Amino acid sequence: MVRPSYAQISPGPLARAHESLNGPLNCTRCHEVGAGRALKCLTCHTEIQKRLAERRGMHAVWVGARADGSACATCHSD
């Protein structure tokens, strides 16, 4: 069960692939501090970052110039 106070920080458990990033001390590994919804997905997902830069593949077609974490969150919930 998720405690109501914790839900103010985290809406729920992370996906299995990201569970090593769980916990209040790891927030800045994925989120930019003070930048609203800015996410750092492409810091770890370098293969996607490379394909976006080369304008190749499905992500480049769907995301186009919006190659940042906010675009990732459109389709990927975590």
Side-chain angles (χ1 to χ4, degrees):
M1 179 174 146
V2 176
R3 295 182 316 259
S5 60
Y6 187 73
Q8 298 299 313
I9 298 169
S10 176
L14 295 175
R16 189 175 310 148
H18 292 143
E19 63 189 4
S20 67
L21 302 168
N22 200 21
L25 300 178
N26 289 322
C27 299
T28 57
R29 291 179 68 186
C30 300
H31 299 273
E32 292 285 345
V33 176
R37 295 188 53 163
L39 299 171
K40 300 194 266 187
C41 303
L42 299 176
T43 300
C44 294
H45 296 280
T46 56
E47 72 286 359
I48 302 297
Q49 182 183 35
K50 181 178 183 219
R51 291 177 68 81
L52 286 169
E54 295 170 349
R55 298 194 178 280
R56 293 180 38 222
M58 161 186 91
H59 289 93
V61 170
W62 289 349
V63 176
R66 287 184 36 216
D68 64 10
S70 63
C72 300
T74 302
C75 299
H76 303 281
S77 62
D78 104 20

